[in-house]
Amino acid sequence: MRTELTVDGGTKQFGDTVVLDSVCLSIDRGEFLAVLGPSGSGKSTLLRVLAGLAELTAGTVRCSADGERPRTGVVFQQSLLLPWLTVLENVSLAGRFAAHRDVFDREYPLTLLRRFGLDGLAGRYPNELSGGQAQRVAVLRAAATRPRLLLLDEPFSALDPATRIDSRQWLSELVAELGATVVLITHDVDEAVALADRIVLLDRGRIRRGWRDVRSGDALALRDDILQQYHPDEMAVP
């Protein structure tokens, strides 16, 4: 299995506050990794480092053997859709930028919307969407560039439980379609167990524990094992 990204001794400080503390993490190509942890554990900072949106104070991030940063799609907790663009225009947004203009497949956004049941929304504007619809559109916008690496920062955290469960299944189907490497940031144990190939638990900026081969094991036993380690009130950074 080829490695997509490797973080070696990753440390990130803001003033005197250490947010990531000597993190060592390798992510295999095609893997779905869930980074689990409470608010303040450094999850979102780690995702920003992986996306190239933040630099480490110390340590390194290395890309795969070819040395090039993989084409990356990022989805944040808020959909951040442009309100003056329709759904189709939002999903097609990357095609407007010089970095993607020559390689962007302009037919693919509509294909994605059809494939994942959102083509009926193509002409709507963001203020006409439900929260769940907006987040799915945001994920498809990131997917429209055919990324090799998809980074998700709790994209469904604000949704009601029923919508969130539906969105998990939808995301699972999308990831299978893309064949991308995925890193999902979440504080939800059930979400991590339902979606990931591997789970790591982040505690005060350090990786406290990891679980491999998540899909091949007993989901209920795994959930119980994680919950024994995961105590958000004790782990969260003040």
Side-chain angles (χ1 to χ4, degrees):
M1 181 71 69
R2 295 186 65 184
T3 300
E4 190 72 83
L5 286 175
T6 301
V7 181
D8 187 6
T11 298
K12 181 65 175 177
Q13 290 183 236
F14 295 100
D16 294 331
T17 303
V18 179
V19 182
L20 295 176
D21 188 359
S22 302
V23 170
C24 293
L25 179 67
S26 291
I27 304 166
D28 290 336
R29 184 167 295 181
E31 180 178 36
F32 194 130
L33 172 70
V35 180
L36 184 66
S39 298
S41 61
K43 305 186 307 299
S44 292
T45 299
L46 176 61
L47 180 132
R48 290 179 64 82
V49 167
L50 295 176
L53 300 174
E55 293 186 1
L56 292 170
T57 307
T60 60
V61 178
R62 298 193 307 275
C63 299
S64 58
D66 56 24
E68 296 184 5
R69 176 169 287 278
R71 183 179 298 163
T72 303
V74 186
V75 183
F76 296 102
Q77 294 180 34
Q78 302 299 319
S79 66
L80 303 179
L81 300 178
L82 299 182
W84 58 88
L85 299 181
T86 65
V87 164
L88 179 57
E89 290 168 340
N90 266 286
V91 176
S92 304
L93 184 63
R96 300 186 178 206
F97 296 97
H100 299 288
R101 196 171 295 143
D102 293 339
V103 296
F104 190 79
D105 180 352
R106 299 187 180 278
E107 302 299 320
Y108 191 49
L110 186 55
T111 298
L112 278 174
L113 288 169
R114 287 172 177 158
R115 168 69 179 81
F116 294 99
L118 297 178
D119 51 312
L121 306 178
R124 293 190 189 181
Y125 288 88
N127 65 352
E128 300 175 299
L129 304 178
S130 68
Q133 289 170 338
Q135 285 303 98
R136 293 185 190 198
V137 171
V139 174
L140 290 187
R141 180 177 60 185
T145 61
R146 302 182 191 268
R148 204 170 81 195
L149 176 64
L150 182 61
L151 304 175
L152 307 168
D153 190 356
E154 303 196 66
F156 306 131
S157 62
L159 305 183
D160 64 81
T163 304
R164 188 164 182 162
I165 290 171
D166 286 344
S167 296
R168 285 179 201 160
Q169 180 58 41
W170 178 88
L171 178 61
S172 180
E173 293 174 5
L174 173 64
V175 168
E177 176 91 1
L178 290 175
T181 304
V182 182
V183 179
L184 170 69
I185 301 299
T186 184
H187 62 267
D188 187 316
V189 174
D190 289 330
E191 185 168 82
V193 171
L195 291 170
D197 301 311
R198 178 164 60 109
I199 298 170
V200 296
L201 178 60
L202 205 61
D203 179 4
R204 295 182 176 91
R206 288 177 172 264
I207 294 177
R208 176 173 176 175
R209 176 82 186 274
W211 293 264
R212 291 187 175 273
D213 302 320
V214 170
R215 295 177 189 269
S216 63
D218 183 325
L220 290 177
L222 174 63
R223 181 180 181 277
D224 289 343
D225 188 26
I226 294 173
L227 288 172
Q228 289 178 14
Q229 303 288 326
Y230 182 37
H231 305 289
D233 293 338
E234 298 175 11
M235 295 169 61
V237 178

